RNA sequence: GCGCCUGUAGCUCAGUCUGGAUAGAGCAUCGGAUUUCUAAUCCGACGGUCGCAGGUUCGAAUCCUGCCGGGCGCGCCA
């Protein structure tokens, strides 16, 4: 990152020298072709209009005036109007040393400056177990949170529980019916009831434990029983899926504490509420929403919007620097009304970002798996975890951009074959660990420092290792890729995306496997062994750090 | 009907924000590689009118408009 800044600055200096004052932001991209260098800029193209010269000419003039630090840049060239920069070996070696020194901290940065970010994640209604789609949201949110933490933000992960309202009523009614059915009564199933198998099982557990003593119990009992049972299940699912939740907020608390009433009063005072057709409306259309929204129904009960507004106001009052809501795409109709509410309450829209993730299309060996929440037919996160495993599932969930649908083939994910990218990355890590194990065995008692695992590489004083011995194309490729890792993480943090991490790891694993096939680490030549051990240790550290961001274990052997 | 997301190789997708070099991977298919650190690996080949049509531009997968296909949502359900 410092390197990019350094190059940018030198370009700016050169621009000044040729007396160009106005220019767009200088973009450094990573060229597709190796011959085009490590970084390149198209700045000359953007100046053609102003200077009325062809890009080649502008680029040539710039190159002539460019003064770059020779420790970083070995060569600068003009090619078809582009300016290409080639990094020095020295820099690549220095970076490897940094990786070995910083280990788990390689890739970290202080860009976040300790700013506080609150992430609202998962927040599924406790009316049933988490399903695959929620798993994607959870894996995505958790990974993004990890990335932001590594970038120096203080992240608070929060789950908001809608534990009251119509849906809870329906849940309670449904459980009651299932319970009474088990006691042999014939009862009409509620119209909007939850038909899932899990409620029948829940009823059975209740009956097995406590018999028929709840036969005459009021609906509140069943709501209470069902929701706490489900919430416990959700907590356990998330925990086993490696998702950390720092704070659990309950909708009912906002009511109890009078915060919902308070926020309504506030909105009313500002003139953003009005009555029509017996209901109370929020004037959200005034803030960019398509239409106004009901906030209190004709029957006097409040909609979820009311408490959601109170919840968001509560977030603002807790003084976070940024707020991020991560929702399933099926909630996108909700985005504008929440943003409207934020504006209406007088808070900055910029502080709140709402990220939507698209749904998961589940299949098995290419055949789609039908899902319907209404009929209670869905594949739960628990089932996926049991069948596929936490790590593989998390990798798949984070592999695709969040705003495109995710195809998830259960059979493919389960396969331990080349079709499955997860093993490919893990295998690279395991192979490296295995090299170190071997190296340790080779160690002779007379000369314990000659070769060995990480500890030995470090003890031997990294500076003494002759990294210049790493000169093959495969080794160079790896060194260049390692240099990119901090950039990849930073770019994820900027764009609130995570899929570049798995993609990067696959690329790094691929470069490593190529190297491994062509060259031997534990060769005859002691200095070369040391240099290569340092190199693969660098790869191992980066693979480890990347997998860690995804919440995945890095296996020592497979 | 309206709104959001999406359409790139046989399949799954990067690349689109910030327009640039012959459009990249993986899988599948075909052909090869291991007496040596894990073959869950490697090397090579094949494969694309970037949904379609216009427009802007020296230059468009990328920006604009229209159309077509897929997903999701659409006033007192969440």
């Amino acid at each position: 990152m410092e390197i990019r800044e350094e190059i940018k600055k030198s370009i700016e200096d050169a621009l000044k020298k040729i007396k160009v004052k106005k220019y767009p932001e200088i973009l450094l991209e990573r060229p597709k072709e190796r011959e085009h260098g490590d970084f390149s800029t198209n700045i000359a193209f953007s100046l053609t209009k102003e200077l009325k010269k062809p890009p080649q000419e502008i680029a040539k003039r710039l190159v002539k005036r460019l003064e770059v630090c020779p420790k970083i840049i070995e060569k600068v060239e003009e090619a078809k109007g582009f300016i290409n920069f080639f990094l020095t070996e020295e820099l690549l070696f220095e970076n490897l040393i940094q990786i070995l020194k910083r280990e788990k901290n390689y890739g970290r940065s202080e860009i976040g400056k300790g700013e506080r970010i609150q992430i609202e994640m998962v927040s599924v209604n406790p009316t049933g177990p988490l399903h695959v789609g929620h798993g994607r949201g959870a894996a995505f949110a958790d990974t993004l949170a990890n990335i932001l933490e590594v970038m120096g933000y203080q992240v608070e992960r929060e789950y908001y529980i809608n534990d009251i309202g119509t849906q809870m009523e329906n849940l309670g009614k449904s459980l009651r019916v299932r319970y009474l059915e088990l006691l042999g009564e014939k009862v009409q199933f509620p119209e909007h009831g939850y038909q899932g198998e899990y409620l029948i099982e829940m009823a059975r557990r209740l009956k097995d434990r406590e018999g028929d003593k709840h036969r005459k119990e009021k609906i509140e009992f069943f709501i209470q029983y069902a929701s706490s049972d489900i919430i416990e299940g959700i907590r356990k699912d998330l925990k086993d899926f490696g998702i950390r939740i720092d704070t659990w907020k309950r909708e009912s608390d906002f009511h109890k504490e009078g915060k919902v009433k308070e926020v309504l009063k506030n909105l009313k005072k500002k003139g953003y509420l009005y009555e029509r057709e017996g209901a109370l409306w929020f004037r959200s259309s005034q803030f960019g929403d398509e239409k106004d929204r009901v906030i209190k129904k004709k029957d006097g009960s409040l909609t979820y919007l009311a408490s959601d507004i109170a919840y968001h106001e509560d977030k603002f009052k807790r003084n976070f620097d940024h707020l991020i809501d991560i929702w399933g795409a099926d909630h996108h109709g909700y985005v504008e009304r929440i943003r409207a509410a934020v504006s209406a309450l007088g808070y900055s829209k910029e502080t709140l970002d709402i990220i939507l993730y698209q749904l998961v299309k589940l299949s098995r060996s290419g055949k789609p798996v039908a899902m319907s929440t209404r009929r209670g037919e869905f594949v739960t996160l628990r089932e996926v975890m049991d069948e596929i495993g936490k790590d593989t599932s998390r990798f798949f969930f984070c592999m695709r951009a969040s705003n495109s649908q995710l195809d998830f083939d259960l059979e493919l994910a389960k396969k331990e074959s080349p079709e499955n990218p997860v093993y490919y990355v893990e295998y690279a890590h395991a192979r490296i660990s295995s090299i170190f194990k071997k190296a340790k065995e080779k160690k002779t008692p007379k000369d314990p420092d000659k070769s060995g695992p990480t500890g030995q590489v470090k003890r031997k004083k990294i500076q003494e290792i002759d990294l210049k011995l790493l000169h093959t194309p495969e080794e160079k490729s790896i060194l260049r890729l390692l240099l990119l890792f901090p950039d990849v993480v930073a770019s994820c943090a900027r764009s609130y995306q995570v899929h570049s991490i798995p993609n990067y790891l696959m690329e790094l694993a691929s470069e490593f496997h190529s190297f491994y096939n062509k060259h031997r680490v534990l060769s005859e030549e002691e200095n070369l062994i040391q240099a290569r051990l340092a190199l693969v240790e660098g790869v191992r550290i980066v693979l480890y750090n990347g997998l860690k961001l995804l919440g995945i274990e890095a296996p020592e052997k497979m």
Side-chain angles (χ1 to χ4, degrees), chain A residues 206-219:
Chain A
L206 179 61
K207 186 192 151 227
D208 288 352
R209 261 204 305 264
E210 314 198 11
D212 68 346
K213 66 189 259 201
H214 301 294
R215 193 188 286 268
K216 298 263 184 299
E217 203 88 60
K218 281 189 196 144
I219 193 69

Side-chain angles (χ1 to χ4, degrees), chain A residues 164-212:
Chain A
I164 52 169
T166 328
Q167 296 313 313
M168 287 293 103
E169 298 273 329
N170 289 335
L171 177 71
K173 283 180 198 164
S174 309
L175 176 64
R176 183 169 166 271
V177 167
R178 293 307 193 200
Y179 179 66
L180 294 178
E181 276 171 0
L182 288 177
L183 296 178
E185 291 188 28
K186 272 226 182 289
V187 220
Q188 176 83 39
F189 198 78
E191 195 188 348
H192 297 289
Y194 292 92
Q195 301 185 40
E197 190 71 21
Y198 61 94
L199 277 182
I200 300 175
E201 284 162 24
M202 197 190 293
R204 189 167 295 131
R205 284 199 301 273
L206 179 61
K207 186 192 151 227
D208 288 352
R209 261 204 305 264
E210 314 198 11
D212 68 346

Side-chain angles (χ1 to χ4, degrees), chain A residues 119-352:
Chain A
I119 299 185
E120 183 197 332
M121 50 197 270
V122 196
S123 297
V124 177
N125 287 357
T127 55
L130 299 175
H131 57 69
V132 230
H134 301 135
R136 182 189 193 186
F140 170 81
D142 193 58
T143 300
L144 182 61
N146 289 342
I147 290 170
L148 291 170
E149 273 173 357
V150 155
M151 293 322 276
Y153 293 94
Q154 265 184 66
V155 181
E156 183 149 339
R157 304 151 195 237
E158 200 159 295
Y159 189 123
Y160 175 67
I161 311 171
N162 292 105
D163 60 344
I164 52 169
T166 328
Q167 296 313 313
M168 287 293 103
E169 298 273 329
N170 289 335
L171 177 71
K173 283 180 198 164
S174 309
L175 176 64
R176 183 169 166 271
V177 167
R178 293 307 193 200
Y179 179 66
L180 294 178
E181 276 171 0
L182 288 177
L183 296 178
E185 291 188 28
K186 272 226 182 289
V187 220
Q188 176 83 39
F189 198 78
E191 195 188 348
H192 297 289
Y194 292 92
Q195 301 185 40
E197 190 71 21
Y198 61 94
L199 277 182
I200 300 175
E201 284 162 24
M202 197 190 293
R204 189 167 295 131
R205 284 199 301 273
L206 179 61
K207 186 192 151 227
D208 288 352
R209 261 204 305 264
E210 314 198 11
D212 68 346
K213 66 189 259 201
H214 301 294
R215 193 188 286 268
K216 298 263 184 299
E217 203 88 60
K218 281 189 196 144
I219 193 69
E220 279 70 29
F221 166 80
F222 292 98
I223 294 178
Q224 187 53 40
Y225 186 90
S227 65
S228 47
D229 191 273
I230 288 171
I231 291 168
E232 272 323 296
I234 289 175
R235 278 179 189 267
K236 184 157 194 321
D237 286 352
L238 289 177
K239 188 165 172 280
D240 293 346
F241 201 46
I243 309 292
R244 191 185 100 211
I245 301 287
D246 302 314
T247 318
W248 298 77
K249 287 272 177 188
R250 284 172 178 270
E251 181 184 9
S252 56
D253 288 340
F254 289 98
H255 286 279
K256 276 186 209 150
E257 293 161 14
K259 286 183 175 161
V260 181
K261 272 196 185 130
E262 202 177 299
V263 83
L264 290 187
K265 216 160 80 189
N266 191 353
L267 285 173
K268 192 163 203 169
K269 209 165 70 192
K270 294 187 171 177
Y272 298 135
L273 299 184
Y274 64 93
E275 287 194 37
R276 197 201 330 155
E277 296 162 18
L280 190 64
W281 295 70
F282 167 46
R283 223 180 275 282
S284 54
S285 64
Q286 200 170 316
F287 300 94
D289 196 7
E290 294 173 59
K291 38 203 161 194
D292 294 345
R293 308 289 174 176
V294 170
I295 208 158
K296 190 197 257 175
K297 302 181 233 172
K298 234 192 286 194
D299 65 5
S301 62
L302 294 165
T303 63
Y304 281 84
L305 178 60
S307 34
D308 280 353
I309 295 176
Y311 174 41
H312 279 82
E313 163 143 77
D314 178 71
K315 293 189 196 180
F316 275 94
K317 284 191 170 155
R318 283 186 275 157
N319 279 320
F320 291 103
D321 296 294
H322 301 279
L323 301 173
I324 302 175
D325 287 354
I326 298 175
W327 299 346
D330 49 344
H331 287 72
H332 78 248
Y334 225 69
V335 172
E336 281 314 313
R337 67 191 82 168
I338 287 295
R339 302 188 71 87
V342 165
S343 303
L345 290 168
Y347 297 107
S348 159
K349 257 189 189 173
E350 314 304 310
T351 308
L352 173 68

Side-chain angles (χ1 to χ4, degrees), chain A residues 39-95:
Chain A
F39 295 106
S40 85
T41 179
N42 64 345
I43 188 74
F45 288 91
S46 357
L47 295 171
T48 48
K49 269 226 180 80
E50 199 175 326
L51 300 184
K52 297 192 179 65
K53 295 244 164 60
Q56 287 88 334
E57 196 173 318
I58 299 169
K60 272 180 190 145
R61 279 175 64 193
L62 280 171
V63 170
K64 221 175 270 176
R65 307 295 169 96
L66 261 173
E67 281 177 38
V68 281
C69 174
K71 278 192 172 171
I72 297 177
I73 301 298
E74 182 179 73
K75 187 171 84 170
V76 183
E77 65 171 23
E78 180 278 333
K80 294 183 181 167
F82 292 88
I83 302 175
N84 299 332
F85 298 85
F86 295 78
L87 299 174
T88 58
E89 276 190 344
E90 199 184 339
L91 179 83
L92 296 175
F93 296 150
E94 177 52 34
N95 187 61

Side-chain angles (χ1 to χ4, degrees), chain A residues 103-104 106-107 143 146-147 150 394-395 398 425 429 485-486 488-489 492 498 500-506 508 538-554:
Chain A
E103 279 193 84
K104 290 184 179 156
Y106 179 68
T143 300
N146 289 342
I147 290 170
V150 155
R394 288 192 66 145
F395 195 93
C398 288
V425 175
H429 187 272
F485 181 66
V488 172
V489 183
C492 283
V498 304
S500 310
I501 304 284
N503 287 330
Y504 170 85
L505 293 179
M506 285 189 271
L508 181 58
V539 174
R540 197 196 59 76
I541 289 169
V542 173
L543 287 176
Y544 180 93
N545 292 355
L547 288 171
K548 190 93 184 169
L549 288 174
L550 296 169
I552 295 175
E553 308 298 322

